[in-house]
PDB file of all heavy atoms in Angstrom:
ATOM      1  N   ALA A   3       4.076  18.612 -68.692  1.00 90.00           N
ATOM      2  CA  ALA A   3       3.445  17.379 -68.575  1.00 90.00           C
ATOM      3  C   ALA A   3       3.822  16.789 -67.188  1.00 90.00           C
ATOM      4  O   ALA A   3       4.887  16.917 -66.746  1.00 90.00           O
ATOM      5  CB  ALA A   3       3.988  16.402 -69.641  1.00 90.00           C
ATOM      6  N   TYR A   4       2.799  16.192 -66.616  1.00 89.00           N
ATOM      7  CA  TYR A   4       3.070  15.405 -65.416  1.00 89.00           C
ATOM      8  C   TYR A   4       3.622  14.026 -65.779  1.00 89.00           C
ATOM      9  O   TYR A   4       3.035  13.339 -66.686  1.00 89.00           O
ATOM     10  CB  TYR A   4       1.647  15.233 -64.655  1.00 89.00           C
ATOM     11  CG  TYR A   4       1.769  14.154 -63.467  1.00 89.00           C
ATOM     12  CD1 TYR A   4       2.338  14.511 -62.288  1.00 89.00           C
ATOM     13  CD2 TYR A   4       1.181  12.842 -63.642  1.00 89.00           C
ATOM     14  CE1 TYR A   4       2.400  13.614 -61.316  1.00 89.00           C
ATOM     15  CE2 TYR A   4       1.232  11.947 -62.676  1.00 89.00           C
ATOM     16  CZ  TYR A   4       1.869  12.341 -61.452  1.00 89.00           C
ATOM     17  OH  TYR A   4       1.891  11.424 -60.423  1.00 89.00           O
ATOM     18  N   ILE A   5       4.721  13.640 -65.208  1.00 90.00           N
ATOM     19  CA  ILE A   5       5.385  12.412 -65.560  1.00 90.00           C
ATOM     20  C   ILE A   5       5.441  11.441 -64.484  1.00 90.00           C
ATOM     21  O   ILE A   5       5.743  11.788 -63.289  1.00 90.00           O
ATOM     22  CB  ILE A   5       6.821  12.691 -66.160  1.00 90.00           C
ATOM     23  CG1 ILE A   5       6.739  13.666 -67.304  1.00 90.00           C
ATOM     24  CG2 ILE A   5       7.504  11.396 -66.498  1.00 90.00           C
ATOM     25  CD1 ILE A   5       8.205  13.979 -67.910  1.00 90.00           C
ATOM     26  N   GLU A   6       5.086  10.166 -64.754  1.00 89.00           N
ATOM     27  CA  GLU A   6       5.203   9.179 -63.620  1.00 89.00           C
ATOM     28  C   GLU A   6       5.682   7.814 -64.270  1.00 89.00           C
ATOM     29  O   GLU A   6       5.298   7.415 -65.316  1.00 89.00           O
ATOM     30  CB  GLU A   6       3.858   8.998 -63.050  1.00 89.00           C
ATOM     31  CG  GLU A   6       3.799   8.061 -61.864  1.00 89.00           C
ATOM     32  CD  GLU A   6       2.406   7.938 -61.184  1.00 89.00           C
ATOM     33  OE1 GLU A   6       1.489   8.701 -61.601  1.00 89.00           O
ATOM     34  OE2 GLU A   6       2.273   6.996 -60.414  1.00 89.00           O
ATOM     35  N   ASP A   7       6.511   7.126 -63.453  1.00 90.00           N
ATOM     36  CA  ASP A   7       6.926   5.789 -63.826  1.00 90.00           C
ATOM     37  C   ASP A   7       5.850   4.785 -63.222  1.00 90.00           C
ATOM     38  O   ASP A   7       5.537   4.855 -62.015  1.00 90.00           O
ATOM     39  CB  ASP A   7       8.278   5.441 -63.280  1.00 90.00           C
ATOM     40  CG  ASP A   7       9.407   6.230 -63.874  1.00 90.00           C
ATOM     41  OD1 ASP A   7       9.251   6.566 -65.065  1.00 90.00           O
ATOM     42  OD2 ASP A   7      10.282   6.571 -63.225  1.00 90.00           O
ATOM     43  N   VAL A   8       5.357   3.827 -64.066  1.00 89.00           N
ATOM     44  CA  VAL A   8       4.341   2.887 -63.630  1.00 89.00           C
ATOM     45  C   VAL A   8       4.668   1.539 -64.097  1.00 89.00           C
ATOM     46  O   VAL A   8       5.542   1.263 -65.004  1.00 89.00           O
ATOM     47  CB  VAL A   8       2.952   3.322 -64.216  1.00 89.00           C
ATOM     48  CG1 VAL A   8       2.509   4.678 -63.653  1.00 89.00           C
ATOM     49  CG2 VAL A   8       2.904   3.421 -65.715  1.00 89.00           C
ATOM     50  N   ASP A   9       3.937   0.529 -63.633  1.00 89.00           N
ATOM     51  CA  ASP A   9       4.170  -0.885 -63.992  1.00 89.00           C
ATOM     52  C   ASP A   9       3.010  -1.319 -64.767  1.00 89.00           C
ATOM     53  O   ASP A   9       2.012  -1.823 -64.321  1.00 89.00           O
ATOM     54  CB  ASP A   9       4.259  -1.704 -62.616  1.00 89.00           C
ATOM     55  CG  ASP A   9       4.622  -3.208 -62.914  1.00 89.00           C
ATOM     56  OD1 ASP A   9       4.715  -3.504 -64.132  1.00 89.00           O
ATOM     57  OD2 ASP A   9       4.859  -3.872 -61.913  1.00 89.00           O
ATOM     58  N   PHE A  10       3.159  -1.075 -66.099  1.00 84.00           N
ATOM     59  CA  PHE A  10       2.125  -1.511 -67.051  1.00 84.00           C
ATOM     60  C   PHE A  10       1.981  -3.045 -67.078  1.00 84.00           C
ATOM     61  O   PHE A  10       0.829  -3.496 -67.203  1.00 84.00           O
ATOM     62  CB  PHE A  10       2.510  -1.105 -68.471  1.00 84.00           C
ATOM     63  CG  PHE A  10       2.275   0.325 -68.706  1.00 84.00           C
ATOM     64  CD1 PHE A  10       3.499   1.220 -68.887  1.00 84.00           C
ATOM     65  CD2 PHE A  10       1.027   0.999 -68.823  1.00 84.00           C
ATOM     66  CE1 PHE A  10       3.284   2.572 -69.154  1.00 84.00           C
ATOM     67  CE2 PHE A  10       0.918   2.327 -69.092  1.00 84.00           C
ATOM     68  CZ  PHE A  10       2.004   3.114 -69.209  1.00 84.00           C
ATOM     69  N   GLU A  11       3.095  -3.791 -66.859  1.00 84.00           N
ATOM     70  CA  GLU A  11       2.975  -5.235 -67.020  1.00 84.00           C
ATOM     71  C   GLU A  11       2.128  -5.901 -65.915  1.00 84.00           C
ATOM     72  O   GLU A  11       1.321  -6.766 -66.232  1.00 84.00           O
ATOM     73  CB  GLU A  11       4.345  -5.889 -66.991  1.00 84.00           C
ATOM     74  CG  GLU A  11       4.401  -7.264 -67.276  1.00 84.00           C
ATOM     75  CD  GLU A  11       5.774  -7.907 -67.412  1.00 84.00           C
ATOM     76  OE1 GLU A  11       6.763  -7.106 -67.274  1.00 84.00           O
ATOM     77  OE2 GLU A  11       5.950  -9.143 -67.613  1.00 84.00           O
ATOM     78  N   ASN A  12       2.202  -5.358 -64.681  1.00 89.00           N
ATOM     79  CA  ASN A  12       1.567  -6.047 -63.606  1.00 89.00           C
ATOM     80  C   ASN A  12       0.300  -5.281 -63.125  1.00 89.00           C
ATOM     81  O   ASN A  12      -0.488  -5.792 -62.371  1.00 89.00           O
ATOM     82  CB  ASN A  12       2.486  -6.266 -62.494  1.00 89.00           C
ATOM     83  CG  ASN A  12       3.661  -7.170 -62.877  1.00 89.00           C
ATOM     84  OD1 ASN A  12       3.370  -8.304 -63.321  1.00 89.00           O
ATOM     85  ND2 ASN A  12       4.828  -6.763 -62.650  1.00 89.00           N
ATOM     86  N   ASN A  13       0.188  -3.952 -63.478  1.00 88.00           N
ATOM     87  CA  ASN A  13      -0.852  -3.178 -62.920  1.00 88.00           C
ATOM     88  C   ASN A  13      -1.619  -2.452 -64.066  1.00 88.00           C
ATOM     89  O   ASN A  13      -2.081  -1.270 -63.807  1.00 88.00           O
ATOM     90  CB  ASN A  13      -0.332  -2.086 -61.926  1.00 88.00           C
ATOM     91  CG  ASN A  13       0.396  -2.750 -60.817  1.00 88.00           C
ATOM     92  OD1 ASN A  13      -0.215  -3.761 -60.235  1.00 88.00           O
ATOM     93  ND2 ASN A  13       1.500  -2.268 -60.360  1.00 88.00           N
ATOM     94  N   SER A  14      -1.855  -3.104 -65.174  1.00 85.00           N
ATOM     95  CA  SER A  14      -2.489  -2.357 -66.205  1.00 85.00           C
ATOM     96  C   SER A  14      -3.928  -1.867 -65.931  1.00 85.00           C
ATOM     97  O   SER A  14      -4.384  -0.810 -66.360  1.00 85.00           O
ATOM     98  CB  SER A  14      -2.549  -3.228 -67.519  1.00 85.00           C
ATOM     99  OG  SER A  14      -3.276  -4.476 -67.303  1.00 85.00           O
ATOM    100  N   ALA A  15      -4.684  -2.740 -65.221  1.00 88.00           N
ATOM    101  CA  ALA A  15      -6.064  -2.303 -64.866  1.00 88.00           C
ATOM    102  C   ALA A  15      -6.100  -1.085 -63.941  1.00 88.00           C
ATOM    103  O   ALA A  15      -6.817  -0.094 -64.092  1.00 88.00           O
ATOM    104  CB  ALA A  15      -6.746  -3.408 -64.111  1.00 88.00           C
ATOM    105  N   GLN A  16      -5.215  -0.974 -63.010  1.00 89.00           N
ATOM    106  CA  GLN A  16      -5.110   0.195 -62.059  1.00 89.00           C
ATOM    107  C   GLN A  16      -4.625   1.388 -62.863  1.00 89.00           C
ATOM    108  O   GLN A  16      -5.053   2.546 -62.595  1.00 89.00           O
ATOM    109  CB  GLN A  16      -4.059  -0.138 -60.917  1.00 89.00           C
ATOM    110  CG  GLN A  16      -4.571  -1.231 -59.902  1.00 89.00           C
ATOM    111  CD  GLN A  16      -4.066  -2.532 -60.373  1.00 89.00           C
ATOM    112  OE1 GLN A  16      -4.116  -2.962 -61.584  1.00 89.00           O
ATOM    113  NE2 GLN A  16      -3.646  -3.288 -59.367  1.00 89.00           N
ATOM    114  N   ILE A  17      -3.646   1.263 -63.785  1.00 87.00           N
ATOM    115  CA  ILE A  17      -3.151   2.384 -64.565  1.00 87.00           C
ATOM    116  C   ILE A  17      -4.220   2.926 -65.418  1.00 87.00           C
ATOM    117  O   ILE A  17      -4.494   4.156 -65.648  1.00 87.00           O
ATOM    118  CB  ILE A  17      -1.894   1.979 -65.324  1.00 87.00           C
ATOM    119  CG1 ILE A  17      -0.797   1.585 -64.338  1.00 87.00           C
ATOM    120  CG2 ILE A  17      -1.442   3.104 -66.225  1.00 87.00           C
ATOM    121  CD1 ILE A  17       0.364   0.920 -64.992  1.00 87.00           C
ATOM    122  N   ALA A  18      -5.021   2.017 -66.034  1.00 87.00           N
ATOM    123  CA  ALA A  18      -6.189   2.492 -66.827  1.00 87.00           C
ATOM    124  C   ALA A  18      -7.164   3.289 -66.059  1.00 87.00           C
ATOM    125  O   ALA A  18      -7.704   4.375 -66.437  1.00 87.00           O
ATOM    126  CB  ALA A  18      -6.868   1.229 -67.478  1.00 87.00           C
ATOM    127  N   GLU A  19      -7.402   2.926 -64.816  1.00 89.00           N
ATOM    128  CA  GLU A  19      -8.240   3.665 -63.860  1.00 89.00           C
ATOM    129  C   GLU A  19      -7.602   5.000 -63.579  1.00 89.00           C
ATOM    130  O   GLU A  19      -8.276   6.033 -63.480  1.00 89.00           O
ATOM    131  CB  GLU A  19      -8.525   2.820 -62.634  1.00 89.00           C
ATOM    132  CG  GLU A  19      -9.428   3.514 -61.578  1.00 89.00           C
ATOM    133  CD  GLU A  19      -9.641   2.709 -60.356  1.00 89.00           C
ATOM    134  OE1 GLU A  19      -9.150   1.633 -60.246  1.00 89.00           O
ATOM    135  OE2 GLU A  19     -10.422   3.153 -59.560  1.00 89.00           O
ATOM    136  N   GLN A  20      -6.304   4.962 -63.413  1.00 88.00           N
ATOM    137  CA  GLN A  20      -5.650   6.263 -63.096  1.00 88.00           C
ATOM    138  C   GLN A  20      -5.798   7.218 -64.247  1.00 88.00           C
ATOM    139  O   GLN A  20      -5.997   8.441 -64.104  1.00 88.00           O
ATOM    140  CB  GLN A  20      -4.112   5.970 -62.840  1.00 88.00           C
ATOM    141  CG  GLN A  20      -3.343   7.257 -62.694  1.00 88.00           C
ATOM    142  CD  GLN A  20      -1.786   6.930 -62.461  1.00 88.00           C
ATOM    143  OE1 GLN A  20      -1.477   5.794 -61.993  1.00 88.00           O
ATOM    144  NE2 GLN A  20      -0.942   7.846 -62.828  1.00 88.00           N
ATOM    145  N   ILE A  21      -5.639   6.765 -65.473  1.00 85.00           N
ATOM    146  CA  ILE A  21      -5.796   7.607 -66.704  1.00 85.00           C
ATOM    147  C   ILE A  21      -7.188   8.139 -66.771  1.00 85.00           C
ATOM    148  O   ILE A  21      -7.436   9.394 -66.941  1.00 85.00           O
ATOM    149  CB  ILE A  21      -5.463   6.720 -67.959  1.00 85.00           C
ATOM    150  CG1 ILE A  21      -3.939   6.432 -67.995  1.00 85.00           C
ATOM    151  CG2 ILE A  21      -5.955   7.509 -69.139  1.00 85.00           C
ATOM    152  CD1 ILE A  21      -3.661   5.419 -69.042  1.00 85.00           C
ATOM    153  N   ASN A  22      -8.177   7.277 -66.551  1.00 85.00           N
ATOM    154  CA  ASN A  22      -9.580   7.766 -66.502  1.00 85.00           C
ATOM    155  C   ASN A  22      -9.884   8.735 -65.361  1.00 85.00           C
ATOM    156  O   ASN A  22     -10.626   9.703 -65.628  1.00 85.00           O
ATOM    157  CB  ASN A  22     -10.512   6.560 -66.432  1.00 85.00           C
ATOM    158  CG  ASN A  22     -10.563   5.691 -67.599  1.00 85.00           C
ATOM    159  OD1 ASN A  22     -10.337   6.205 -68.751  1.00 85.00           O
ATOM    160  ND2 ASN A  22     -10.856   4.399 -67.491  1.00 85.00           N
ATOM    161  N   ASN A  23      -9.291   8.574 -64.273  1.00 88.00           N
ATOM    162  CA  ASN A  23      -9.431   9.562 -63.149  1.00 88.00           C
ATOM    163  C   ASN A  23      -8.839  10.917 -63.550  1.00 88.00           C
ATOM    164  O   ASN A  23      -9.396  11.976 -63.250  1.00 88.00           O
ATOM    165  CB  ASN A  23      -8.798   9.048 -61.956  1.00 88.00           C
ATOM    166  CG  ASN A  23      -9.647   7.928 -61.258  1.00 88.00           C
ATOM    167  OD1 ASN A  23     -10.859   7.667 -61.561  1.00 88.00           O
ATOM    168  ND2 ASN A  23      -9.047   7.078 -60.419  1.00 88.00           N
ATOM    169  N   PHE A  24      -7.649  10.909 -64.220  1.00 85.00           N
ATOM    170  CA  PHE A  24      -7.001  12.136 -64.632  1.00 85.00           C
ATOM    171  C   PHE A  24      -7.885  12.802 -65.640  1.00 85.00           C
ATOM    172  O   PHE A  24      -8.161  14.071 -65.529  1.00 85.00           O
ATOM    173  CB  PHE A  24      -5.641  11.788 -65.314  1.00 85.00           C
ATOM    174  CG  PHE A  24      -4.957  12.902 -65.905  1.00 85.00           C
ATOM    175  CD1 PHE A  24      -4.242  13.838 -65.241  1.00 85.00           C
ATOM    176  CD2 PHE A  24      -5.016  13.036 -67.330  1.00 85.00           C
ATOM    177  CE1 PHE A  24      -3.499  14.863 -65.779  1.00 85.00           C
ATOM    178  CE2 PHE A  24      -4.387  14.141 -67.990  1.00 85.00           C
ATOM    179  CZ  PHE A  24      -3.625  15.003 -67.176  1.00 85.00           C
ATOM    180  N   VAL A  25      -8.412  12.105 -66.552  1.00 83.00           N
ATOM    181  CA  VAL A  25      -9.230  12.788 -67.620  1.00 83.00           C
ATOM    182  C   VAL A  25     -10.563  13.290 -66.951  1.00 83.00           C
ATOM    183  O   VAL A  25     -11.007  14.340 -67.328  1.00 83.00           O
ATOM    184  CB  VAL A  25      -9.565  11.777 -68.828  1.00 83.00           C
ATOM    185  CG1 VAL A  25     -10.577  12.371 -69.719  1.00 83.00           C
ATOM    186  CG2 VAL A  25      -8.236  11.458 -69.541  1.00 83.00           C
ATOM    187  N   ASP A  26     -11.180  12.447 -66.063  1.00 83.00           N
ATOM    188  CA  ASP A  26     -12.342  12.816 -65.456  1.00 83.00           C
ATOM    189  C   ASP A  26     -12.141  14.189 -64.685  1.00 83.00           C
ATOM    190  O   ASP A  26     -12.910  15.047 -64.686  1.00 83.00           O
ATOM    191  CB  ASP A  26     -12.697  11.707 -64.388  1.00 83.00           C
ATOM    192  CG  ASP A  26     -13.951  12.053 -63.663  1.00 83.00           C
ATOM    193  OD1 ASP A  26     -14.816  12.650 -64.223  1.00 83.00           O
ATOM    194  OD2 ASP A  26     -14.100  11.593 -62.464  1.00 83.00           O
ATOM    195  N   GLU A  27     -10.963  14.223 -63.929  1.00 85.00           N
ATOM    196  CA  GLU A  27     -10.725  15.493 -63.246  1.00 85.00           C
ATOM    197  C   GLU A  27     -10.533  16.773 -64.148  1.00 85.00           C
ATOM    198  O   GLU A  27     -11.075  17.823 -63.975  1.00 85.00           O
ATOM    199  CB  GLU A  27      -9.532  15.332 -62.349  1.00 85.00           C
ATOM    200  CG  GLU A  27      -9.111  16.563 -61.495  1.00 85.00           C
ATOM    201  CD  GLU A  27      -7.838  16.313 -60.702  1.00 85.00           C
ATOM    202  OE1 GLU A  27      -7.425  15.162 -60.645  1.00 85.00           O
ATOM    203  OE2 GLU A  27      -7.413  17.279 -60.020  1.00 85.00           O
ATOM    204  N   GLN A  28      -9.726  16.513 -65.167  1.00 82.00           N
ATOM    205  CA  GLN A  28      -9.391  17.566 -66.112  1.00 82.00           C
ATOM    206  C   GLN A  28     -10.581  18.115 -66.966  1.00 82.00           C
ATOM    207  O   GLN A  28     -10.590  19.255 -67.322  1.00 82.00           O
ATOM    208  CB  GLN A  28      -8.206  17.202 -67.037  1.00 82.00           C
ATOM    209  CG  GLN A  28      -6.920  16.923 -66.369  1.00 82.00           C
ATOM    210  CD  GLN A  28      -6.392  18.152 -65.637  1.00 82.00           C
ATOM    211  OE1 GLN A  28      -6.491  19.194 -66.019  1.00 82.00           O
ATOM    212  NE2 GLN A  28      -5.716  17.863 -64.507  1.00 82.00           N
ATOM    213  N   THR A  29     -11.557  17.265 -67.139  1.00 79.00           N
ATOM    214  CA  THR A  29     -12.685  17.643 -67.941  1.00 79.00           C
ATOM    215  C   THR A  29     -13.926  17.811 -67.001  1.00 79.00           C
ATOM    216  O   THR A  29     -15.015  17.894 -67.534  1.00 79.00           O
ATOM    217  CB  THR A  29     -13.088  16.507 -68.971  1.00 79.00           C
ATOM    218  OG1 THR A  29     -13.379  15.302 -68.422  1.00 79.00           O
ATOM    219  CG2 THR A  29     -11.930  16.372 -69.931  1.00 79.00           C
ATOM    220  N   HIS A  30     -13.700  18.065 -65.803  1.00 77.00           N
ATOM    221  CA  HIS A  30     -14.707  18.333 -64.873  1.00 77.00           C
ATOM    222  C   HIS A  30     -15.914  17.296 -64.860  1.00 77.00           C
ATOM    223  O   HIS A  30     -17.048  17.670 -64.864  1.00 77.00           O
ATOM    224  CB  HIS A  30     -15.220  19.809 -65.092  1.00 77.00           C
ATOM    225  CG  HIS A  30     -14.207  20.749 -64.912  1.00 77.00           C
ATOM    226  ND1 HIS A  30     -14.236  21.732 -63.790  1.00 77.00           N
ATOM    227  CD2 HIS A  30     -13.091  21.041 -65.614  1.00 77.00           C
ATOM    228  CE1 HIS A  30     -13.140  22.527 -63.986  1.00 77.00           C
ATOM    229  NE2 HIS A  30     -12.461  22.135 -64.977  1.00 77.00           N
ATOM    230  N   GLY A  31     -15.541  16.066 -64.962  1.00 77.00           N
ATOM    231  CA  GLY A  31     -16.548  15.003 -64.887  1.00 77.00           C
ATOM    232  C   GLY A  31     -17.271  14.728 -66.205  1.00 77.00           C
ATOM    233  O   GLY A  31     -18.134  13.951 -66.212  1.00 77.00           O
ATOM    234  N   LYS A  32     -16.876  15.392 -67.252  1.00 73.00           N
ATOM    235  CA  LYS A  32     -17.672  15.208 -68.534  1.00 73.00           C
ATOM    236  C   LYS A  32     -17.177  14.031 -69.341  1.00 73.00           C
ATOM    237  O   LYS A  32     -17.921  13.455 -70.159  1.00 73.00           O
ATOM    238  CB  LYS A  32     -17.514  16.425 -69.385  1.00 73.00           C
ATOM    239  CG  LYS A  32     -18.133  17.720 -68.650  1.00 73.00           C
ATOM    240  CD  LYS A  32     -19.653  17.448 -68.349  1.00 73.00           C
ATOM    241  CE  LYS A  32     -20.306  18.605 -67.639  1.00 73.00           C
ATOM    242  NZ  LYS A  32     -21.682  18.334 -67.192  1.00 73.00           N
ATOM    243  N   ILE A  33     -15.945  13.612 -69.164  1.00 76.00           N
ATOM    244  CA  ILE A  33     -15.474  12.386 -69.828  1.00 76.00           C
ATOM    245  C   ILE A  33     -14.944  11.490 -68.691  1.00 76.00           C
ATOM    246  O   ILE A  33     -13.913  11.891 -68.058  1.00 76.00           O
ATOM    247  CB  ILE A  33     -14.335  12.666 -70.824  1.00 76.00           C
ATOM    248  CG1 ILE A  33     -14.911  13.473 -72.115  1.00 76.00           C
ATOM    249  CG2 ILE A  33     -13.689  11.372 -71.300  1.00 76.00           C
ATOM    250  CD1 ILE A  33     -13.876  13.766 -73.129  1.00 76.00           C
ATOM    251  N   THR A  34     -15.583  10.424 -68.430  1.00 76.00           N
ATOM    252  CA  THR A  34     -15.288   9.590 -67.254  1.00 76.00           C
ATOM    253  C   THR A  34     -14.545   8.313 -67.507  1.00 76.00           C
ATOM    254  O   THR A  34     -13.836   7.833 -66.647  1.00 76.00           O
ATOM    255  CB  THR A  34     -16.599   9.242 -66.458  1.00 76.00           C
ATOM    256  OG1 THR A  34     -17.425   8.518 -67.383  1.00 76.00           O
ATOM    257  CG2 THR A  34     -17.309  10.472 -65.936  1.00 76.00           C
ATOM    258  N   GLN A  35     -14.636   7.876 -68.822  1.00 77.00           N
ATOM    259  CA  GLN A  35     -13.823   6.639 -69.205  1.00 77.00           C
ATOM    260  C   GLN A  35     -13.343   6.797 -70.605  1.00 77.00           C
ATOM    261  O   GLN A  35     -14.078   6.711 -71.582  1.00 77.00           O
ATOM    262  CB  GLN A  35     -14.815   5.406 -69.100  1.00 77.00           C
ATOM    263  CG  GLN A  35     -13.992   4.132 -69.322  1.00 77.00           C
ATOM    264  CD  GLN A  35     -14.769   2.910 -69.228  1.00 77.00           C
ATOM    265  OE1 GLN A  35     -16.029   3.013 -69.094  1.00 77.00           O
ATOM    266  NE2 GLN A  35     -14.162   1.740 -69.208  1.00 77.00           N
ATOM    267  N   LEU A  36     -12.068   7.034 -70.608  1.00 77.00           N
ATOM    268  CA  LEU A  36     -11.408   7.157 -71.968  1.00 77.00           C
ATOM    269  C   LEU A  36     -10.758   5.909 -72.424  1.00 77.00           C
ATOM    270  O   LEU A  36     -10.838   5.635 -73.583  1.00 77.00           O
ATOM    271  CB  LEU A  36     -10.295   8.242 -71.898  1.00 77.00           C
ATOM    272  CG  LEU A  36      -9.726   8.674 -73.196  1.00 77.00           C
ATOM    273  CD1 LEU A  36     -10.608   9.335 -74.046  1.00 77.00           C
ATOM    274  CD2 LEU A  36      -8.444   9.571 -72.895  1.00 77.00           C
ATOM    275  N   VAL A  37     -10.309   5.120 -71.479  1.00 78.00           N
ATOM    276  CA  VAL A  37      -9.703   3.815 -71.833  1.00 78.00           C
ATOM    277  C   VAL A  37     -10.406   2.625 -71.066  1.00 78.00           C
ATOM    278  O   VAL A  37     -10.859   2.899 -69.941  1.00 78.00           O
ATOM    279  CB  VAL A  37      -8.187   3.699 -71.593  1.00 78.00           C
ATOM    280  CG1 VAL A  37      -7.465   4.726 -72.485  1.00 78.00           C
ATOM    281  CG2 VAL A  37      -7.909   3.990 -70.108  1.00 78.00           C
ATOM    282  N   SER A  38     -10.481   1.504 -71.659  1.00 78.00           N
ATOM    283  CA  SER A  38     -11.147   0.376 -70.949  1.00 78.00           C
ATOM    284  C   SER A  38     -10.103  -0.715 -70.494  1.00 78.00           C
ATOM    285  O   SER A  38     -10.358  -1.444 -69.669  1.00 78.00           O
ATOM    286  CB  SER A  38     -12.175  -0.257 -71.836  1.00 78.00           C
ATOM    287  OG  SER A  38     -11.629  -0.720 -73.053  1.00 78.00           O
TER     288      SER A  38
END
């Protein structure tokens, strides 16, 4: 697993975007938004 420390409290929107980008990359663009 790739592990990273993040600031959920102050940067939740950016982290959600990071998660979606990770999934987008891993699924070759077929799932672009997993979390809102």
